[in-house]
Amino acid sequence: MNLEDLRIDCAIKQKRGIHISASIVIWLLVMMVQFLDLPILTKNLLTFCCTAPLLPLAFLMSKLLKIQFQDKSNPLNNLGILFSINQILYLLIAMWIYPTVPEKMLMVIAMIFGAHLLPYSWLYKSKTYMIMSVLIPIASLIVGCNSTRLILALMMLVFEIIFTALLIIENRKI
């Protein structure tokens, strides 16, 4: 198979990574944390805790949606896993923000989440990933600088629902 065939195969078998819809649960949990009457550092710690189950939830979603989470026959699948793991390195920035500028940590996490979607636009031949990878960080910056953390978490929840809906539509065309 040539590179384009491998990308199409990956998009079909992975259903363009729609198991990322597990992030709806993550952002719902993060939003619930923002409702709590706790000190900001405690909310930030709980926010980190809320993000931890993303990979296991995505794995569970892949099973529910009958998606091959790891396809050893396609070498590009390893690239998709690398893209996911790469986000962990970016979370070091959020860890630095945690005590330094705690009121902006959620904004940084939202920006990291959105920006990490960009390489998937290439892997899955997806306009949805491309658009969301630009829209989420910019909107997070604007909302994060001008509104409350609760509004930011709500915005991310809405974006994740829209993102999932757009991936469903995009998958029907493949």
Side-chain angles (χ1 to χ4, degrees):
M1 276 202 232
N2 66 32
L3 183 59
E4 286 305 304
D5 292 340
L6 288 171
R7 288 172 65 199
I8 291 167
D9 179 67
C10 200
I12 291 169
K13 287 182 180 173
Q14 298 290 310
K15 294 185 182 176
R16 287 196 167 106
I18 198 158
H19 48 282
I20 190 80
S21 59
S23 61
I24 292 171
V25 174
I26 300 302
W27 285 103
L28 179 62
L29 292 171
V30 169
M31 189 179 78
M32 291 168 57
V33 165
Q34 304 314 307
F35 275 111
L36 300 175
D37 185 25
L38 296 170
I40 187 100
L41 291 176
T42 305
K43 284 185 181 183
N44 283 351
L45 180 61
L46 291 173
T47 296
F48 269 124
C49 291
C50 288
T51 63
L54 180 57
L55 193 57
L57 281 174
F59 180 76
L60 179 62
M61 269 311 239
S62 71
K63 294 298 177 197
L64 292 172
L65 297 172
K66 296 177 177 43
I67 298 170
Q68 288 183 343
F69 193 75
Q70 188 174 14
D71 177 16
K72 294 185 191 276
S73 69
N74 187 331
L76 291 184
N77 185 264
N78 289 333
L79 189 58
I81 292 168
L82 182 65
F83 293 161
S84 294
I85 293 171
N86 193 37
Q87 183 181 10
I88 294 169
L89 295 174
Y90 298 143
L91 289 177
L92 293 173
I93 299 166
M95 288 178 178
W96 177 79
I97 293 290
Y98 176 95
T100 312
V101 190
E103 64 277 358
K104 297 302 178 197
M105 191 197 82
L106 186 60
M107 177 185 76
V108 170
I109 287 176
M111 293 169 71
I112 290 168
F113 176 80
H116 107 280
L117 300 174
L118 183 61
Y120 292 102
S121 68
W122 178 84
L123 181 63
Y124 296 136
K125 300 178 70 95
S126 170
K127 289 181 183 175
T128 298
Y129 276 94
M130 176 67 76
I131 292 165
M132 296 307 275
S133 73
V134 174
L135 180 63
I136 290 173
I138 292 171
S140 297
L141 179 64
I142 293 167
V143 172
C145 287
N146 296 299
S147 194
T148 66
R149 294 164 50 96
L150 178 60
I151 298 297
L152 177 61
L154 176 61
M155 178 200 79
M156 285 302 296
L157 180 60
V158 170
F159 274 165
E160 293 312 302
I161 292 167
I162 292 168
F163 182 39
T164 299
L166 290 173
L167 284 177
I168 289 169
I169 293 166
E170 204 172 45
N171 278 327
R172 287 183 182 155
K173 297 176 184 176
I174 201 164

